[in-house]
Amino acid sequence: MAKPRAKQKRAVENDELRHRLQELEDTLGAIRSGAVDAIVTSGPAGDRVYTLEGADHAYHMMVESMNEGAVTVLTDGTILYGNRHSGK
């Protein structure tokens, strides 16, 4: 028969695992339902952002369809993005 201390330790470990599983299920549910736009991971090269498909679609539609010019520029002057000029 298991010692009371070992039994208590297993009970704590099981509770922790149940909590972690619930957290993972909640995360997957949020991703599947579209409540998550991007995922950030940390690694040796620093943080990386992964945008999920379709997450930026509404933004791009707005920027591409507006009559004003829009541009994203780095501090060194590199242009990352510029929308088309409609000429209207």
Side-chain angles (χ1 to χ4, degrees), residues 7-35:
K7 198 173 191 179
Q8 183 180 13
K9 183 179 177 184
R10 279 197 305 273
V12 169
E13 288 174 351
N14 283 341
D15 287 342
E16 290 173 358
L17 289 171
R18 283 188 187 97
H19 176 74
R20 289 178 62 192
L21 177 60
Q22 185 61 51
E23 187 175 23
L24 290 169
E25 288 177 342
D26 291 345
T27 301
L28 286 174
I31 292 169
R32 288 180 179 142
S33 72

Side-chain angles (χ1 to χ4, degrees), residues 30-45:
I31 292 169
R32 288 180 179 142
S33 72
V36 174
D37 292 337
I39 298 171
V40 179
T41 62
S42 297

Side-chain angles (χ1 to χ4, degrees), residues 40-50:
V40 179
T41 62
S42 297
D47 291 344
R48 293 189 68 180
V49 178
Y50 296 92

